[in-house]
Amino acid sequence: MKKVLATILTCGLILGSLAGCGKGTGSTSASTPASTPASGSSSTVTNTDSKTPTDRPADHVTLKMYLEGSNVTDDTAVLQKVNEYLDEKLNVTLQPIWGTWGDFDQGAVLSLQGAEDVDIYFTCSWTLNEYNQFARDGYYVRLDNPDNNLIEKYGKDILNLLPEVLIKGSTIEGADGYGIYAVNGYKDIACQNCWDVNVDLLKKYGYTIEDIEKADYYSFGDILAKVKAGEGDNFYPLLIEGAVLERMVDNSIIVAGDSGSNNLLSYYINPKKTSDQGAYGNKILNKFATDEFMKFCKQTREYYLKGYIDPDMANPEKANTVRADKQLTGQYLIGTQSYSLGYEIQASKERGFEVAMVPTTPAYVDTTSSQGAMMAISTASKNPDRAMMFLNLLNTDPYLFTLLDYGVEGIHYNLNNIGEAVFTAERDNYMPWTNGLGNVTLLPPQEGQGADFWDTFKAYYGNADEIPILGFTFNSENVSNEFAALANVAAEYVLPLCTGAVDPTEKIPEFLTKLEKNGMQKVVDEANKQLSSFLASQGK
Amino acid sequence: MGEAKNKRKNRKKTLMLLTMVAPVSIWLILLRYIPMAGIVLAFKQYKVYTKAPSLINNIVHSNWVGLGNFKFLFASSDTLLILRNTIGYNLLWIALGVVISVSLAIMLNEVRSKFAAKTYQTLMFFPYFISWVVVSYFVMALLDPTSGLIVKAQLAGGGEATNWYHDYKPWPVILTLSNLWKNMGYQTILYLAAITGIDKTQYEAAAIDGAGKWQQIWHVTIPNLRSMVIILLIMDLGKIFNSDFGLFYSVPQNSGSIFRTTQVLDTYVYRALMNSQKIGMSTAASLFQNTVGFILIMIANTAIRKIDPDSALF
Amino acid sequence: MSEIKIRKRNRLQSVSLPAEIIINLLVGGFALLCILPFIFVIIISFSSEESIRLIGYSFRPLEWSTAAYKFVFDMGSQLWISYFNSFFVSTVGTLISLLMCVLYAYALFRKDFKYRKFFTFFVFFTMLFGGGLAPTYMVCKQMLGLSDNYAALIVPALVNPFFIIIMRTFLQTSVPTELIEAASIDGSGEYNTLFRIIIPISKPGIATVALLTVINYWNDWFLAMLYIREPKFYPLQYLLMKAQNQADFLIKNSSVIGVEATKLLRDLPGTSLRMSLVVFIVVPIACAYPFFQRYIISGLTIGSVKG
């Protein structure tokens, strides 16, 4: 039996490696041999002083780029123009792979694991090809590798354009040491949680927005009671996303690299000034054991029992759709909402009533938000140099970026007299995910955003404070078994507790015991150990 | 002389039969046995071999971690509960499934109106087309805390509504009903086809001996179903550590408060790994499930070969 | 009325009338329960999105609407292309798959086949053990070139070990061994025996496996997700699952994608649209059902015994 298995395995390996070779030769015929880019790049090195390699490389290369969130059914018009332009500039043909929400995860991960000949991948802190883990496992090229510094050679322009916080957030410990493994997109990179207030309804009951601004979660009771009484049994004034609500009330934030445990680890920020340390200093905590958490859960339970919170909010499969629907139809008084610039105006227009956003903290940048959308070059790419040149051009050239993102002017959009883009019907057939492509500040503003939109944008996001532990990412490799068990514990307790669906005095002790039994303390200790050495390396 | 002829004939027969198994065998080698090399991932920590990345190079150059990838399966303080649920539901449903689907097949066969029999049978197959997600909508229309039909009925009856998605006690029943509902049509059709395939002379002989319909069922139909029952049982046994993921995940709406009765090995593994892409651990999980299944099948098969060699798997 | 009289005449060879009534009630009742959720699907597909938003999935929507169907028909060519793809893949796939399955199962059924045990184990083993998704994907895509073609939708699902074992069991229950021996003595070739003698008397089993195979192909979307990028190869089920996957993903990640997710989610096909696609998927296969059913429910009622 053993022998048979051994034979089968060997056969499999041999055939598999043959396949691997076949693949290798197959793609070399299409492009340059694997070794050429390194040697070929020496010719380009000579003119790096001029910042961009203006000289068009001699050999032609096809670049494949795997994107997230696309809704593209017809890209011929766009690609024709894009490739005309790229051919002239970089001697490159671009072949985008239009991944969609949901399919991208599976597709990109398989493609990466199988080392397919895709050059550039979308990556970030929340897809399955998660930036930190995949950089650590060697899937992405280190762009500032001292041995072959692609950024130095071809990507300096990007560094000049991007805010410093972004670079800081993307500099991590990867397979080739501490460095940058992907080019950040520049989109809504800061976090700010707000109370989303239905102002029309608020006014109907004689309150003003100041009443909300003055109050906090624990003193919403009177307002909620009055509105509930007035609007009837089927109306739930508090429209919440459980986990987000808890973070807003207690000023805890999630720790990057912790998604594997369903975000059990917490860091506390300073709600007044986010660049300062919070109440617990630079420590990572098991927040569920704190008194704040118990207090929060008790209050939430009270609101739940009084009928202020929709029981659907405790249903993980349904909560978000119901929440979105109720926001849209105004079936709420106070909601939770993560903010992006100009959202209150957009929301008021969409929902047809006045919406106000009352922030609970200033805007801040943490590791997770800075890694919201990125482009990484695969280590399996045969042409990493050209890929970097392309990324540099894409993120700095308004013509190219707009073409790829909005489509062709005159077909997919037109510019109005103040320079805003107005989409045509043809745009429905070509809708990449705008924020997933890179530096969105290169785009013309969209209709209604105003001509000076990007100035406001840069002022808001470019000046957002960084939290003291920006750039820190937890590496869970040493505690992966604990993580597996804890992720299940989190799924069992967090949402019901944070929405008030269960009794905290009974469930929290049970929850804490289970966390303890499944190694929470070990994880917290490991996280703090890593955090201290991170802070030490940063000179903090 | 005759012996040599026989030998040649036998060799020709074997050859012909070998040509019959060839197409499937080739397929199995290409699409099953070659990829099986990937099983070694269960014992490795998969990292990219950055010098020359390819699946095969990555596998070869990744570090061995022994049984490290299997540990997470037993890392939870709830391991016993999870195993109890997984095995318990499977055993219960295997037993119920055989009894109910065999009975349904026999009854369906006795429905004299052909039109009615066909209609029933077509309808019974419908659940098989409907995904668990859709089933979960249906269950929710009954149990939703605000608009569910059953909840409304409970309230209208003056009672207190059950908080279905936060009360673990009713879920064994709900899951069992959902499972039977979805799978009975499928199993019934297998038994029904087996009944239809029974050599009709057996019934004629029984009828001539004066056997009534019930006796015919008992003495002809059921013995003839034995092979099918045994084969399906053996197969089910091999999946004793697997569960229908959609049933345990979507139908209870992924609700944490009821894990005590809805958490099974597959959902545990899914929740443990869904946010991190750990190919070694997921390979290890299925290897564990399948190895247990394999051992059980081998034991069961050996036992059956002793009792009823014709029905054994091999 | 007259029907009952005919029944009475044959009552002797059949179950008693009360027993039959009970049987009809039990089986019929279960059958009704089975169709209920599909009726529910139809109701949702005719509910307005507004109604779903306000009161959730309900048997009695606030407002009826045909918007979902309108939208599906407005999809135009993609719908019909996908219909064709599903039809084509299911037909061709089932024919090849069935032939391979019957050949293999027949050899396993033959007790005098020298390597019977080996080949039984050979197929059974793959029912439990596989190399996992990534290695299979690489073999299919890079070795076999299954990418953006019909073969990618057909080949990976050609063999189902479970069906082979079931088919062998069907042969065991329906083919008397003496028949093979007789054929062998007559000097009939192996293929001749299989196609002339065995297949005609194993129709119920073959029809069952064919039905299950057709359904497998018809319901498949995973292969399309893995190997197909060009919409002209999308099968129908993939259109539905794509919408479902997108919605699920955005719902799960809405807090990290942020404000945009809500908007993106709203641009996706709504539930009523997805349910109408379910209707589009289920109805054709349900119509194909009687074709197979003919062989599965045969005239094993009293008539055949009498005749």
Side-chain angles (χ1 to χ4, degrees), chain B residues 31-62:
Chain B
L31 278 99
R32 289 289 177 270
Y33 283 98
I34 290 177
M36 244 180 237
I39 288 182
V40 296
L41 280 172
F43 308 99
K44 290 208 158 199
Q45 187 181 23
Y46 190 77
K47 297 249 174 183
V48 176
Y49 181 63
T50 41
K51 280 177 205 148
S54 75
L55 188 67
I56 205 76
N57 281 346
N58 298 350
I59 294 179
V60 170
H61 290 95
S62 291

Coordinates of all heavy atoms in Angstrom, one line a residue, chain B residues 31-62:
Chain B
L31 N -7.1 13.6 -13.4 CA -7.8 14.6 -12.6 C -7.9 14.3 -11.1 O -8.3 15.1 -10.3 CB -9.2 14.9 -13.2 CG -9.1 15.9 -14.3 CD1 -9.2 15.1 -15.6 CD2 -10.2 16.9 -14.3
R32 N -7.5 13.1 -10.7 CA -7.6 12.8 -9.3 C -6.2 12.3 -8.8 O -5.8 12.9 -7.8 CB -8.6 11.6 -9.1 CG -10.1 12.1 -9.2 CD -10.5 13.0 -8.1 NE -11.8 13.5 -8.3 CZ -12.2 14.6 -8.9 NH1 -11.2 15.3 -9.5 NH2 -13.4 15.0 -9.1
Y33 N -5.6 11.4 -9.4 CA -4.4 10.8 -8.8 C -3.2 11.8 -8.9 O -2.4 11.9 -8.0 CB -4.1 9.4 -9.4 CG -5.0 8.4 -8.8 CD1 -6.1 8.0 -9.4 CD2 -4.7 7.9 -7.5 CE1 -7.0 7.0 -8.8 CE2 -5.6 7.0 -6.9 CZ -6.7 6.6 -7.6 OH -7.5 5.7 -7.0
I34 N -3.0 12.5 -10.1 CA -1.9 13.4 -10.1 C -2.1 14.5 -9.1 O -1.2 14.8 -8.4 CB -1.8 13.9 -11.6 CG1 -1.2 12.8 -12.5 CG2 -0.8 15.1 -11.6 CD1 -1.1 13.2 -13.9
P35 N -3.2 15.2 -9.1 CA -3.4 16.3 -8.1 C -3.2 15.7 -6.6 O -3.0 16.5 -5.7 CB -4.8 16.8 -8.3 CG -5.1 16.4 -9.7 CD -4.4 15.1 -9.9
M36 N -3.4 14.4 -6.4 CA -3.2 13.9 -5.1 C -1.9 14.2 -4.5 O -1.7 14.1 -3.2 CB -3.5 12.4 -5.1 CG -4.8 12.0 -4.3 SD -5.0 10.3 -4.3 CE -6.7 10.2 -5.0
A37 N -0.9 14.5 -5.3 CA 0.4 14.9 -4.8 C 0.2 16.0 -3.8 O 1.0 16.2 -2.9 CB 1.3 15.2 -5.9
G38 N -0.8 16.8 -4.0 CA -1.1 18.0 -3.2 C -1.4 17.6 -1.7 O -1.4 18.5 -0.9
I39 N -1.7 16.3 -1.5 CA -2.0 15.9 -0.1 C -0.8 16.2 0.8 O -1.0 16.5 2.0 CB -2.4 14.4 0.0 CG1 -3.8 14.3 -0.7 CG2 -2.4 13.9 1.4 CD1 -4.3 12.9 -0.6
V40 N 0.4 16.2 0.3 CA 1.5 16.5 1.2 C 1.4 17.9 1.8 O 2.1 18.1 2.8 CB 2.9 16.4 0.5 CG1 3.1 15.0 0.0 CG2 3.0 17.3 -0.7
L41 N 0.6 18.7 1.2 CA 0.4 20.1 1.8 C -0.1 20.0 3.2 O 0.2 20.9 4.0 CB -0.6 20.9 0.9 CG 0.0 21.5 -0.3 CD1 -1.1 22.1 -1.1 CD2 1.0 22.6 0.0
A42 N -0.8 18.9 3.5 CA -1.3 18.8 4.9 C -0.2 18.7 5.9 O -0.4 19.0 7.1 CB -2.2 17.5 5.0
F43 N 1.0 18.4 5.4 CA 2.1 18.2 6.4 C 3.2 19.3 6.2 O 4.3 19.2 6.7 CB 2.8 16.8 6.2 CG 1.8 15.7 6.3 CD1 1.2 15.2 5.1 CD2 1.3 15.3 7.5 CE1 0.3 14.2 5.2 CE2 0.4 14.3 7.6 CZ -0.2 13.7 6.4
K44 N 2.8 20.3 5.4 CA 3.8 21.4 5.1 C 3.2 22.8 5.5 O 2.0 23.0 5.5 CB 4.1 21.3 3.6 CG 4.9 20.1 3.3 CD 5.8 20.4 2.1 CE 7.0 19.5 2.0 NZ 8.1 19.9 1.2
Q45 N 4.1 23.7 5.6 CA 3.7 25.1 5.7 C 4.0 25.7 4.4 O 5.1 26.0 4.0 CB 4.4 25.8 6.8 CG 3.9 27.2 7.1 CD 4.7 27.9 8.1 OE1 5.8 27.6 8.4 NE2 4.0 28.9 8.7
Y46 N 2.9 26.0 3.6 CA 3.0 26.4 2.3 C 3.6 27.8 2.2 O 3.0 28.8 2.7 CB 1.7 26.3 1.6 CG 1.7 26.5 0.1 CD1 2.2 25.5 -0.8 CD2 1.3 27.7 -0.5 CE1 2.2 25.6 -2.1 CE2 1.4 27.9 -1.9 CZ 1.8 26.8 -2.7 OH 1.8 27.0 -4.1
K47 N 4.8 27.9 1.5 CA 5.3 29.2 1.3 C 5.8 29.2 -0.2 O 6.1 28.2 -0.8 CB 6.6 29.5 2.1 CG 6.2 29.5 3.6 CD 6.4 30.9 4.2 CE 5.9 30.9 5.6 NZ 5.9 32.0 6.3
V48 N 5.9 30.4 -0.7 CA 6.3 30.5 -2.1 C 7.8 30.4 -2.2 O 8.5 31.0 -1.4 CB 5.9 31.9 -2.7 CG1 6.4 32.0 -4.2 CG2 4.4 32.0 -2.7
Y49 N 8.2 29.6 -3.2 CA 9.7 29.5 -3.4 C 10.0 30.6 -4.4 O 9.8 30.5 -5.6 CB 10.0 28.1 -4.0 CG 11.4 27.8 -4.3 CD1 12.4 27.8 -3.3 CD2 11.8 27.6 -5.6 CE1 13.7 27.6 -3.6 CE2 13.2 27.4 -5.9 CZ 14.1 27.4 -4.9 OH 15.4 27.2 -5.2
T50 N 10.4 31.7 -3.8 CA 10.5 32.9 -4.6 C 11.5 32.9 -5.8 O 11.3 33.6 -6.7 CB 10.8 34.2 -3.8 OG1 11.8 33.8 -2.8 CG2 9.6 34.6 -3.0
K51 N 12.4 32.0 -5.7 CA 13.4 31.9 -6.8 C 12.8 31.5 -8.1 O 13.1 32.0 -9.2 CB 14.6 31.0 -6.4 CG 15.5 31.7 -5.5 CD 16.7 30.8 -5.1 CE 17.2 31.2 -3.8 NZ 17.7 30.1 -3.0
A52 N 11.9 30.5 -8.0 CA 11.2 30.0 -9.2 C 9.8 29.5 -8.8 O 9.6 28.3 -8.6 CB 12.0 28.9 -9.8
P53 N 8.9 30.4 -8.6 CA 7.6 30.0 -8.1 C 6.8 29.2 -9.1 O 6.7 29.5 -10.3 CB 6.9 31.4 -7.9 CG 7.8 32.4 -8.1 CD 8.9 31.9 -8.9
S54 N 6.4 28.1 -8.6 CA 5.4 27.3 -9.3 C 4.8 26.4 -8.3 O 5.4 26.2 -7.2 CB 6.0 26.4 -10.4 OG 6.7 25.3 -9.9
L55 N 3.6 25.9 -8.5 CA 3.0 25.1 -7.5 C 3.9 24.0 -7.0 O 4.0 23.8 -5.8 CB 1.7 24.5 -8.0 CG 0.8 23.8 -7.0 CD1 0.2 24.8 -6.0 CD2 -0.3 23.1 -7.6
I56 N 4.5 23.3 -7.9 CA 5.3 22.2 -7.5 C 6.5 22.6 -6.8 O 6.9 22.0 -5.7 CB 5.6 21.3 -8.8 CG1 5.9 19.9 -8.4 CG2 6.8 21.9 -9.6 CD1 4.6 19.2 -8.1
N57 N 7.2 23.6 -7.2 CA 8.4 24.1 -6.5 C 8.0 24.6 -5.1 O 8.7 24.3 -4.1 CB 9.0 25.3 -7.2 CG 9.9 24.8 -8.4 OD1 10.2 23.6 -8.4 ND2 10.2 25.7 -9.3
N58 N 6.9 25.3 -5.0 CA 6.5 25.8 -3.7 C 6.2 24.6 -2.8 O 6.6 24.7 -1.6 CB 5.2 26.6 -3.8 CG 5.4 27.8 -4.7 OD1 6.5 28.2 -5.1 ND2 4.3 28.5 -5.0
I59 N 5.6 23.6 -3.3 CA 5.3 22.5 -2.4 C 6.6 21.8 -2.0 O 6.8 21.5 -0.8 CB 4.4 21.4 -3.1 CG1 3.0 22.0 -3.4 CG2 4.2 20.2 -2.3 CD1 2.1 21.1 -4.1
V60 N 7.5 21.6 -2.9 CA 8.7 20.9 -2.6 C 9.5 21.6 -1.6 O 10.1 21.1 -0.7 CB 9.5 20.6 -3.9 CG1 10.9 20.1 -3.6 CG2 8.8 19.6 -4.8
H61 N 9.6 22.9 -1.8 CA 10.5 23.7 -0.9 C 9.9 24.2 0.4 O 10.6 24.8 1.2 CB 11.1 24.9 -1.7 CG 12.0 24.5 -2.8 ND1 11.7 24.3 -4.1 CD2 13.4 24.2 -2.7 CE1 12.7 23.9 -4.8 NE2 13.7 23.8 -4.0
S62 N 8.6 24.0 0.6 CA 8.0 24.4 1.8 C 8.5 23.5 3.0 O 8.8 22.4 2.7 CB 6.5 24.3 1.8 OG 6.0 25.3 0.9

